[in-house]
């Protein structure tokens, strides 16, 4: 009789050990150097902006949501803007940003990078529209590009902070004139 109980107690011991290992494995999580994370407890945020490394959580009670903190490039579609002389120009620009505050990012845009890009794109386009409407075509094309980018960078940094994003830079890649405006400028 004693011999038949020995394998069963060994099976119970192995089951307990494997359950303990599984519990430990689901209790630990890592945050990579390129990430930040939020910890939720039953759907409510309880801790934010985890630093890289190994961290602990309660299994089944806590969820972890990770966000990429690397520099992201938002390449906007070329857009038409009116100058002070009511002439159209086609402007192609891009911006670089990264997630700075995961809690604010999650509450502002639901943690959705696509939604964040839509909001940043709108801020950039509104800023460009405002800046181009104050200048003539000659000012836009020849000399005020640096001033426009500086003003736009300042505006984007202020607005992006409200989204938990650090705007690093905004650049105008190209300013084109529509064909009809090009002909009148050359004439």
């Amino acid at each position: 009789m004693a011999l038949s109980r020995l394998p069963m107690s060994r099976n119970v011991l192995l089951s307990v050990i494997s359950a303990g290992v599984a519990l430990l494995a689901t209790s630990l999580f890592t945050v990579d150097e390129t990430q930040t994370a939020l910890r939720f407890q039953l759907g409510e945020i309880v801790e934010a902006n985890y630093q890289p490394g190994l961290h602990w959580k309660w299994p089944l009670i806590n969820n972890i949501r990770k966000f990429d903190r690397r520099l992201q490039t938002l390449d906007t579609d070329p857009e038409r803007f009116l100058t002070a002389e009511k002439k159209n120009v086609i402007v192609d620009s891009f911006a670089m940003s990264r997630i700075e505050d995961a809690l604010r990012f999650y509450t502002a845009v639901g943690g959705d990078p696509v939604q964040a890009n839509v909001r940043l794109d709108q801020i950039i386009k509104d800023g460009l529209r405002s800046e181009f409407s104050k200048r003539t075509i000659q000012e836009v094309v020849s000399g005020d590009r640096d001033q426009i980018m500086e003003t736009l960078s300042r505006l984007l940094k202020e607005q992006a902070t409200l989204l938990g994003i650090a705007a690093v830079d905004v650049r105008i890649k190209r300013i084109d004139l529509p064909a009809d405006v090009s002909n009148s400028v050359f004439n």
Side-chain angles (χ1 to χ4, degrees), residues 10-36:
R10 187 175 291 162
N11 288 340
V12 169
L13 181 62
L14 286 175
S15 297
V16 168
I17 289 173
S18 62
V21 168
L23 184 65
L24 182 63
T26 59
S27 298
L28 296 174
F29 69 96
T30 59
V31 176
D32 191 33
E33 292 175 354
T34 63
Q35 298 174 326
T36 185

Side-chain angles (χ1 to χ4, degrees), residues 52-176:
L54 185 63
H55 301 280
W56 186 83
K57 68 175 181 136
W58 287 101
L60 303 174
I61 295 175
N62 293 140
N63 298 13
I64 303 300
R65 178 103 186 255
K66 297 177 185 177
F67 302 100
D68 192 354
R69 282 189 355 186
R70 290 180 288 186
L71 199 59
Q72 304 292 320
T73 302
L74 171 63
D75 193 9
T76 62
D77 293 330
E79 184 85 16
R80 283 182 182 253
F81 297 105
L82 285 174
T83 63
E85 336 167 274
K86 305 297 183 216
K87 302 285 185 178
N88 282 321
V89 290
I90 301 170
V91 180
D92 193 6
S93 64
F94 71 95
M96 294 185 298
S97 63
R98 70 173 172 276
I99 297 172
E100 190 70 28
D101 183 356
L103 176 62
R104 188 173 285 172
F105 179 74
Y106 185 80
T107 56
V109 294
D112 184 9
V114 173
Q115 180 66 26
N117 284 342
V118 167
R119 303 263 303 264
L120 290 175
D121 185 43
Q122 191 60 47
I123 293 167
I124 292 167
K125 286 180 180 174
D126 289 346
L128 285 171
R129 187 172 294 110
S130 172
E131 290 302 312
F132 278 86
S133 68
K134 298 174 189 172
R135 293 174 171 80
T136 65
I137 288 181
Q138 186 169 353
E139 291 171 340
V140 166
V141 173
S142 64
D144 288 352
R145 186 181 290 201
D146 289 336
Q147 186 180 5
I148 292 170
M149 287 188 296
E150 183 181 311
T151 304
L152 195 57
S153 284
R154 189 174 21 82
L155 173 72
L156 185 62
K157 286 177 184 179
E158 292 169 5
Q159 297 286 326
T161 302
L162 302 174
L163 302 175
I165 297 172
V168 177
D169 199 9
V170 178
R171 292 285 164 196
I172 296 173
K173 292 192 288 189
R174 200 171 77 206
I175 299 174
D176 288 332

